[in-house]
Amino acid sequence: MKAQELLPFIDELNTFKHYGRVKRVVGIMIESQGPESSVGDVCYIHTGVKGAKKLIRAEVVGFKDENVILMPYTAVSDISPGSLVETTSQPLEIKVGTELIGKVVDSLGHPLDGSPLPKGLSAVPTEQDPPNPMERPPISESIDVGVRMIDSLLTVGNGQRVGIFAGSGVGKSTLLGMVARNTKADLNVIGLIGERGREVREFIERDLGAEGLARSIVVVATSDQPALMRIKGAFTATAIAEYFRDKGLNVMLMMDSVTRVAMAQREIGLAVGEPPTTKGYTPSVFGILPRLLERTGTNIHGSITAFYTVLVDGDDMNEPIADTVRGILDGHFVLDRSLANKGQYPAINVLKSISRIMNHIADEGHVHNAERLRDLLSTYIESEDLINIGAYKRGSSKEIDEAIRKYPEIISFLKQSTKEKVSKEESVFRLMELMESGE
């Protein structure tokens, strides 16, 4: 490149550094006088402890009067009044590339095992706009997730976004591990947001396994980390998935859990002075959820099929976060504690779950058999009390008789061990055999 061609770039360079000074720290909020910056910009807080200088990375989250409000990516320590604040005038970027596959990284994209980042990675911003609605190709084909109940009765489309709603301890992580190991997607991106530190390694080694990890990138933000790191974990996982989607891949994104992202945003909202509204959640929570969830799906290059887990307090499916997420996504799977207590795994309640895309991507015979199984299961459950106490007389209803006869086979069909691998073709064929037997 000639010198004259470089002149426009040189003119655009900002050779000045912008600084401010810390005025006060309240809880997780740092208030500084300056520097000139925008919401989302990354800043460095210079601290000096016993002669050892240290840089603390923080992000601008708001303004109060003429002061800048910052949230740190790490714990608030070693900061004193008058500490220097330097702005980068840039939002957070992470390094992404195929060399990250098989690695476990933190919210900033750094390997958790302490190893250096591989060379040849590309820098991408963690916050990006969702695809243009007019540039989203319609979902026209299914994706094999390797779970018989889902592939046959709740078929997921390539690029569909689904919520997994459950209370604690009903099998969300186990189900995500099954999908990660068995799916036919090109790559898994798994975000563990707000997890207990103990459960991270357990999920990677027990639920995901070496086979699943070899084709996955895992982003971890544990519950002990600051609220901003938990939110960035969700945005980092989404940005990684977007990078590979733009390379033309079909990506499977799994995030556990969206509820903890919302709780982290509530912490930040309350700290910067937002009023608590719906059950204590601040207005920004209901702004960040669609901004995060709408980034996945299809675009002109590839697709991101997404599974988001939602924790429901007391198994209440109508609490604010569950209700909001259900309205944004393209389907919901409800994990039922009563089914888990009976030893039925995956504990998906088929009658309370729905895939909004299934009727558009499955053939007519498949849809008919799935609806028929739902009808039989519903009929049996409605009459279960009468059947158990012996009040129902066989022959009174042809529909109930068929439901009683096929119920054990239906339950056997719905159950699947965590190590069992089943293709979508096998699942659909077995559903057809089950519905046509005895007719």
Side-chain angles (χ1 to χ4, degrees):
M1 188 176 287
K2 296 179 181 179
Q4 288 183 340
E5 295 175 347
L6 290 172
L7 287 176
F9 297 101
I10 295 172
D11 289 339
E12 292 176 7
L13 287 176
N14 185 356
T15 56
F16 292 96
K17 288 187 176 182
H18 297 270
Y19 293 97
R21 289 198 178 274
V22 172
K23 288 191 69 176
R24 65 173 185 160
V25 177
V26 181
I28 60 174
M29 179 186 72
I30 302 167
E31 199 171 315
S32 73
Q33 188 170 8
E36 183 181 334
S37 53
S38 304
V39 171
D41 285 353
V42 175
C43 295
Y44 288 100
I45 302 172
H46 296 251
T47 66
V49 183
K50 297 178 182 178
K53 289 190 175 182
K54 181 180 176 184
L55 291 178
I56 296 176
R57 193 185 294 192
E59 185 174 305
V60 178
V61 295
F63 304 98
K64 185 176 183 181
D65 298 327
E66 294 183 1
N67 294 328
V68 179
I69 300 175
L70 301 146
M71 291 285 175
Y73 290 124
T74 55
V76 179
S77 60
D78 304 331
I79 298 175
S80 57
S83 291
L84 211 58
V85 181
E86 176 190 347
T87 180
T88 64
S89 301
Q90 296 289 335
L92 179 66
E93 290 187 337
I94 56 166
K95 296 294 186 84
V96 189
T98 54
E99 294 81 1
L100 275 188
I101 298 173
K103 291 191 176 293
V104 182
V105 301
D106 65 12
S107 300
L108 306 180
H110 302 142
L112 277 184
D113 59 7
S115 62
L117 273 172
K119 294 181 179 179
L121 303 181
S122 303
V124 297
T126 57
E127 297 205 33
Q128 301 181 48
D129 293 329
N132 187 319
M134 297 305 293
E135 293 180 358
R136 284 185 183 265
I139 297 171
S140 58
E141 59 181 22
S142 62
I143 187 169
D144 190 338
V145 300
V147 179
R148 181 164 51 241
M149 186 191 302
I150 296 175
D151 284 334
S152 59
L153 304 175
L154 300 162
T155 307
V156 174
N158 192 13
Q160 185 174 348
R161 302 159 305 152
V162 179
I164 300 175
F165 294 75
S168 56
V170 191
K172 297 183 301 299
S173 298
T174 303
L175 178 59
L176 291 181
M178 288 177 68
V179 173
R181 290 193 307 272
N182 300 338
T183 181
K184 294 296 190 293
D186 299 320
L187 174 72
N188 300 314
V189 179
I190 303 169
L192 302 179
I193 312 302
E195 286 282 356
R196 305 175 190 89
R198 173 186 64 81
E199 291 183 337
V200 172
R201 187 165 177 179
E202 284 185 5
F203 173 82
I204 292 170
E205 294 183 357
R206 183 186 61 197
D207 296 324
L208 186 58
E211 178 187 358
L213 182 59
R215 53 201 296 266
S216 305
I217 299 172
V218 183
V219 181
V220 175
T222 51
S223 58
D224 60 295
Q225 293 182 326
L228 190 59
M229 282 290 274
R230 281 174 269 149
I231 292 175
K232 288 301 173 186
F235 281 88
T236 293
T238 306
I240 292 172
E242 288 172 324
Y243 172 85
F244 287 102
R245 175 181 63 185
D246 291 344
K247 296 291 183 183
L249 300 184
N250 295 322
V251 183
M252 179 70 72
L253 172 65
M254 288 168 274
M255 191 174 294
D256 185 14
S257 73
V258 171
T259 307
R260 294 192 182 111
V261 177
M263 292 171 70
Q265 181 61 36
R266 177 174 61 182
E267 281 184 48
I268 292 176
L270 292 172
V272 299
E274 279 191 84
T277 52
T278 311
K279 290 196 175 180
Y281 287 101
T282 56
S284 63
V285 172
F286 302 100
I288 198 174
L289 288 175
R291 205 171 84 232
L292 174 67
L293 303 179
E294 286 289 350
R295 287 169 60 180
T296 54
T298 59
N299 73 358
I300 57 176
H301 304 291
S303 68
I304 301 174
T305 306
F307 285 89
Y308 298 98
T309 68
V310 182
L311 287 166
V312 286
D313 295 331
D315 296 325
D316 176 15
M317 298 297 165
N318 295 315
E319 59 95 26
I321 300 304
D323 203 41
T324 301
V325 171
R326 189 166 50 236
I328 297 170
L329 300 178
D330 309 315
H332 55 271
F333 301 164
V334 177
L335 301 189
D336 196 321
R337 193 175 300 278
S338 64
L339 296 179
N341 291 340
K342 294 177 183 177
Q344 180 179 320
Y345 289 101
I348 300 174
N349 188 322
V350 175
L351 301 180
K352 293 181 179 179
S353 305
I354 189 170
S355 169
R356 296 178 183 172
I357 306 292
M358 180 175 176
N359 288 350
H360 304 293
I361 58 176
D363 61 62
E364 190 175 337
H366 178 187
V367 172
H368 172 75
N369 286 329
E371 290 177 349
R372 182 66 182 144
L373 187 144
R374 283 173 176 268
D375 287 342
L376 291 174
L377 188 59
S378 176
T379 299
Y380 183 90
I381 290 173
E382 287 174 2
S383 310
E384 190 170 18
D385 290 340
L386 293 175
I387 295 167
N388 289 339
I389 64 174
Y392 174 74
K393 292 184 179 180
R394 290 185 180 272
S396 302
S397 167
K398 184 179 177 182
E399 186 76 11
I400 296 176
D401 287 345
E402 186 180 2
I404 294 172
R405 188 176 73 253
K406 288 192 174 180
Y407 183 72
E409 295 178 68
I410 291 174
I411 296 303
S412 175
F413 174 80
L414 297 179
K415 287 183 178 181
Q416 182 177 341
S417 70
T418 55
K419 302 298 182 184
E420 184 182 357
K421 285 191 174 183
V422 185
S423 69
K424 179 177 178 292
E425 291 74 18
E426 291 176 65
S427 301
V428 175
F429 180 74
R430 187 170 167 189
L431 172 66
M432 182 187 69
E433 282 188 322
L434 175 61
M435 290 298 98
E436 292 180 355
S437 64
E439 292 188 356

